[in-house]
């Protein structure tokens, strides 16, 4: 039997190692974050939000078309993906037996782990090839496929929190069960559902790989869903791997804007999620 | 037989009912998850048929990738993907477990509740931004300081021989490590939170020190869940595209040296797919995609089963 003192020292040493591991985990993450903020703030200007990229060799320009393109594609993706995810979650909580629900839940978890570049390839074969051209629509469909499992799982978690008595009260008043699902269950979980939606939007806002060969990117303004469209993550990628100092600055500014938008979305999502639990 | 038909007819009359229609709609949407998964596998499979037929198993062992000649071998990409993600995982897992243990068992609850969401938030930074930092900040730093040091002091090992390029297998391993750590840490933390309090109290009551309590009561209980978290991290690392493409150097080498540029499966798809002109070229890229899809399907399924196992055991929590 080892002495008590030795065991205590060993315990303290292991605690120290764990503290060191935590520091090792946090330091690079914080460094990256600080660097994005520092480089981003010095590179931001009004032009960034109002201009499209200048051709090589000219200074200035911005990512206005990329920002607009991202908003459009995320919007279209939401229109396609959100109803599927939310109503799918209604099925899991209201109608499905536990066996079927497990299978779908499992499939959703597995699907959300599939590399997004694969989603892009599938969208390419399903839309780009038959439509004979890269398009914003194909990009949106790829993003929607990424959103569906996220929305489904978060919505399901929220619907499970709605007390059964609420449903029973509605049914007892003679409300048909489909209206109960939509108007009572879903509605009382609304802020939680919103959390899932915001998290899913935040997640796809930064997706780059699935857009590489669906939306393709565009140097100019584009408003057509059937044509290639610019997106912020694509522009950041192209500028980052370019050899030009000026484009690097645009990439940093873009990174800061993107990260800020994503953090705002996630924080808003968390806020709605929390207010539901406490209320 | 007749009664079954009659029953079905009875059912179809009931479809006029809003409830049945609603039920069908939601069922359809829920099943769309399965349809998407199936569609992915079938679509990727059928698109890669030309390459499958032409090269057979040789596709996996071939090292020559030449679109002009029409020969395609995937080994350099398989090698790059496996080496980069496995090494990144070996570095990331102990750190993540240490951090998760610190956050759940050692530091006070309030700090844990602050730091954990911060780590999760950082996990949400898009991969293209990690890549931006990797190619403009980390790779030059590696080239100027870390790699020359490695060459000078450990250059006699085959792993650290060669010239300091900056963009390299080493850079990919580092960026992957930084990217999977938040994922593994937050899932491990969730697993550890599911360990029943009574079990920990029992260990303390028997006179265990804090570390002994962790070793005897916490880790054995969460073992399969922690393993699941690590495997899930592996799945992410294997499929990670943008950040790796930006720092790995994109050269289809198979080299023991971690300092030389390499290539991965998602990276070659990202770089070549939009420009693949010949049918065979895009079919070969599709086959790489199919391999990647099957790999991540297996990895993810395994990880989820392990994690579910633990959280079901700790079902009392929620």
């Amino acid at each position: 039997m080892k002495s008590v003192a030795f065991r205590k020292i060993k315990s303290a040493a292991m605690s120290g190692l764990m503290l060191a591991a935590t520091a090792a985990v946090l330091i690079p993450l914080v460094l990256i974050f600080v660097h994005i903020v520092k480089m981003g703030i010095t590179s931001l200007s009004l032009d960034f939000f109002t201009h499209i990229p200048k051709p090589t060799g000219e200074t200035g320009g911005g990512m206005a078309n990329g920002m607009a393109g991202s908003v459009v594609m995320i919007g279209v993706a939401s229109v396609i993906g959100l109803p599927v995810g939310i109503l799918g979650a209604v099925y899991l909580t209201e109608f499905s037996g536990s066996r079927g629900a497990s299978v779908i839940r499992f499939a959703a978890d597995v699907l959300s782990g599939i590399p997004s570049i694969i989603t892009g390839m599938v969208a390419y074969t399903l839309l780009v090839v038959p439509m004979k051209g890269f398009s914003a629509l194909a990009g949106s469909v790829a993003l929607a496929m990424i959103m569906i499992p996220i929305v489904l799982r978060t919505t399901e978690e929220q619907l499970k929190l709605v007390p059964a008595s609420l449903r029973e009260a509605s049914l007892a008043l003679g409300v048909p069960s489909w209206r109960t699902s939509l108007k009572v269950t879903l509605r009382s979980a609304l802020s939680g559902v919103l959390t899932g939606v915001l998290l899913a939007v935040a997640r796809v806002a930064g997706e780059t790989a699935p857009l590489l060969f669906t939306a393709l990117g565009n140097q100019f303004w584009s408003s057509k869903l059937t044509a290639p469209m610019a997106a912020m993550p694509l522009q950041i990628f192209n500028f980052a791997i370019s050899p030009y100092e000026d484009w690097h600055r645009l990439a940093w500014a873009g990174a800061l804007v993107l990260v800020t938008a994503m953090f705002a979305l996630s924080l808003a999502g968390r806020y709605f999620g929390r207010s539901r639990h406490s209320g | 037989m007749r009664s079954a038909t009659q029953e079905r007819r009875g059912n179809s009359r009931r479809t006029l009912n809003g409830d049945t229609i609603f039920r069908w709609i939601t069922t359809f949407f829920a099943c769309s998850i399965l349809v998407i998964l199936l569609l992915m596998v079938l679509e990727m499979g059928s698109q890669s048929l030309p390459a499958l037929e032409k090269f057979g198993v040789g596709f996996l062992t071939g090292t020559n990738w030449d679109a002009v000649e029409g020969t395609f071998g995937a080994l350099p990409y398989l090698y790059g993907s496996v080496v980069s993600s496995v090494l990144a995982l070996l570095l990331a897992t102990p750190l993540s477990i240490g951090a998760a243990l610190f956050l759940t068992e050692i530091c006070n609850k309030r700090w844990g509740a602050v730091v954990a969401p911060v780590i999760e938030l950082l996990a949400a930074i898009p991969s293209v931004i990690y890549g931006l930092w990797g190619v403009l900040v980390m790779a030059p730093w590696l080239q100027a300081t870390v790699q020359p040091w490695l060459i000078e002091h450990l250059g006699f090992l085959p792993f650290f021989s060669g010239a300091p390029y900056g963009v390299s297998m080493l850079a990919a391993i580092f960026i992957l490590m930084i990217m999977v750590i938040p994922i593994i840490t937050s899932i491990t933390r969730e697993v550890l939170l599911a360990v029943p309090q009574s079990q920990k109290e029992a260990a303390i009551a028997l006179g265990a020190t804090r570390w002994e309590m962790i070793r005897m009561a916490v880790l054995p209980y969460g073992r399969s869940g922690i393993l699941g978290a690590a495997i899930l991290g592996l799945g992410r690392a294997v499929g990670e595209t943008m950040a790796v493409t930006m720092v790995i150097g994109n050269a289809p080498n198979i080299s023991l040296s971690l300092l030389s540029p390499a290539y991965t499966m998602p990276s070659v798809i990202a770089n070549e797919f939009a420009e693949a002109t010949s049918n065979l070229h895009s079919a070969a890229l599709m086959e790489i995609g199919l391999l990647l899809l099957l790999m991540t399907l297996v990895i993810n399924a395994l990880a989820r089963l392990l994690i579910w196992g633990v959280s079901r055991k700790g079902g009392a929590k929620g």
Side-chain angles (χ1 to χ4, degrees):
Chain A
M1 191 74 194
K2 285 164 186 155
S3 76
V4 174
F6 174 79
R7 288 166 54 208
K8 278 192 173 159
I9 290 170
K10 189 174 175 191
S11 177
M14 293 311 285
S15 302
L17 275 181
M18 289 173 209
L19 176 64
T22 311
V25 164
L26 282 173
I27 287 169
L29 291 170
V30 170
L31 272 181
I32 293 174
F33 184 65
V34 169
H35 200 88
I36 294 170
V37 172
K38 198 182 79 189
M39 296 297 291
I41 283 184
T42 51
S43 315
L44 266 183
S45 64
L46 190 62
D47 276 7
F48 180 83
F49 295 98
T50 52
H51 284 63
I52 65 173
K54 287 263 170 68
T56 344
E58 288 181 49
T59 54
M63 286 192 183
N65 58 343
M67 274 183 267
S70 281
V71 169
V72 168
M73 278 191 270
I74 293 169
V76 175
S78 303
V79 170
I80 302 168
L82 296 184
V84 179
I86 293 172
L87 290 177
V90 170
Y91 171 78
L92 289 190
T93 45
E94 310 288 319
F95 301 122
S96 161
S98 66
R99 188 85 165 280
S102 297
V103 170
I104 288 170
R105 222 173 273 141
F106 185 68
D109 281 351
V110 169
L111 189 63
S112 65
I114 285 176
S116 57
I117 193 159
I118 303 280
T119 319
M121 291 180 104
V122 173
Y124 175 89
T125 61
L126 290 180
L127 285 164
V128 175
V129 175
M131 288 172 66
K132 297 194 173 58
F134 300 104
S135 66
L137 184 66
S140 304
V141 169
L143 295 184
M145 282 201 271
I146 297 170
M147 290 175 89
I148 289 171
I150 305 173
V151 175
L152 182 106
R153 294 290 272 131
T154 45
T155 306
E156 191 209 347
E157 292 301 320
Q158 297 299 326
L159 290 179
K160 271 199 276 188
L161 295 175
V162 177
S165 55
L166 216 56
R167 285 180 197 123
E168 283 156 13
S170 166
L171 292 171
L173 289 169
V175 180
S177 83
W178 69 275
R179 291 198 64 144
T180 304
S181 295
L182 286 181
K183 298 267 171 168
V184 178
T185 317
L186 206 54
R187 187 145 179 197
S188 61
L190 197 61
S191 63
V193 173
L194 194 59
T195 302
V197 171
L198 290 171
L199 290 179
V201 169
R203 164 80 193 276
V204 298
E207 283 291 352
T208 318
L211 300 180
L212 284 173
F213 27 78
T214 49
L216 195 70
N218 194 328
Q219 287 284 90
F220 308 100
W221 288 104
S222 166
S223 54
K224 271 208 291 227
L225 279 182
T226 50
M229 190 180 270
M232 248 189 128
L234 282 176
Q235 287 183 329
I236 294 175
F237 173 60
N238 288 328
F239 290 170
I241 58 171
S242 81
Y244 310 110
E245 199 62 27
D246 212 51
W247 280 9
H248 291 171
R249 269 206 302 283
L250 278 180
W252 285 115
L256 178 63
V257 172
L258 193 56
V259 166
T260 311
M262 291 184 53
F263 278 8
L265 285 168
S266 322
L267 287 175
R270 267 159 223 271
Y271 170 78
F272 285 117
R274 197 162 301 153
S275 66
R276 166 159 175 82
H277 291 299
S278 56
Chain B
M1 261 348 258
R2 179 176 295 165
S3 71
T5 331
Q6 277 168 347
E7 200 173 77
R8 208 170 300 142
R9 240 181 239 143
N11 270 338
S12 71
R13 203 166 298 134
R14 268 198 291 146
T15 54
L16 295 172
N17 179 331
D19 282 352
T20 321
I21 296 173
F22 185 67
R23 199 189 159 124
W24 278 12
I25 292 173
T26 58
T27 311
F28 173 76
F29 281 147
C31 289
S32 71
I33 293 270
L34 300 172
V35 173
I36 291 173
L37 258 182
L38 205 66
L39 201 67
M40 280 186 164
V41 177
L42 290 180
E43 199 61 37
M44 303 287 296
S46 68
Q47 296 291 325
S48 53
L49 268 182
L52 277 166
E53 279 166 3
K54 176 113 198 258
F55 303 115
V57 188
F59 187 73
L60 300 178
T61 52
T63 55
N64 193 16
W65 183 274
D66 192 331
V68 184
E69 272 181 43
T71 49
F72 297 99
L75 194 61
Y77 312 108
L78 275 169
Y79 175 85
S81 277
V82 171
V83 171
S84 61
S85 39
V86 168
L87 287 181
L89 199 75
L90 287 180
L91 292 172
T93 308
L95 287 176
S96 306
I97 296 175
L101 281 173
F102 182 79
L103 291 175
T104 49
E105 309 295 339
I106 304 219
C107 77
N108 75 37
K109 286 255 147 57
R110 204 150 358 121
W111 273 103
V114 173
V115 175
V118 169
I119 291 184
E120 255 172 69
L121 209 55
L122 291 170
I125 293 183
S127 105
V128 69
I129 292 179
Y130 278 109
L132 171 73
W133 180 83
V135 71
L136 295 184
V137 181
M138 188 185 72
W141 173 72
L142 287 177
Q143 186 173 21
T145 56
V146 177
Q147 293 183 343
W149 188 89
L150 286 172
I151 292 168
E152 194 180 330
H153 298 277
L154 297 167
F156 56 90
L157 294 170
F159 312 110
F160 301 112
S161 60
Y165 286 113
V167 290
S168 58
M169 178 68 95
L170 189 71
I173 292 169
F174 278 176
I175 205 90
L176 280 177
M177 180 184 94
I178 295 174
M179 291 179 74
V180 297
I181 275 177
I183 297 157
I184 304 179
T185 306
S186 59
I187 298 171
T188 303
R189 185 173 167 269
E190 260 165 53
V191 167
L192 293 178
L193 286 175
V195 176
Q197 195 65 27
S198 56
Q199 200 160 330
K200 294 194 256 175
E201 281 161 10
I204 295 285
L206 288 172
T209 62
R210 182 109 61 143
W211 166 245
E212 284 163 345
M213 180 269 283
I214 290 172
R215 215 194 48 202
M216 297 187 310
V218 177
L219 288 180
Y221 192 92
R223 192 185 295 135
S224 66
I226 296 172
L227 189 64
I231 297 176
L232 204 61
L234 180 69
R236 285 292 180 92
V238 169
E240 177 45 51
T241 310
M242 302 317 295
V244 171
T245 305
M246 290 157 93
V247 301
I248 201 168
N250 297 327
N253 298 328
I254 298 181
S255 161
L256 266 186
S257 172
L258 299 179
L259 305 185
S260 63
Y263 223 144
T264 65
M265 294 157 72
S267 300
V268 69
I269 299 171
N271 282 329
E272 296 188 3
F273 193 68
E275 279 135 35
T277 40
S278 74
N279 269 340
L280 199 58
H281 191 186
S282 55
L285 289 166
M286 278 289 178
E287 192 175 344
I288 289 194
L290 181 67
L291 282 173
L292 184 63
L293 175 64
L294 296 179
M295 266 165 88
T296 47
L297 272 180
V298 171
I299 290 173
N300 278 305
L302 191 65
R304 288 295 170 188
L305 289 175
L306 286 168
I307 295 170
W308 277 19
V310 175
S311 45
R312 210 170 298 142
K313 264 198 291 179
K317 198 195 117 238

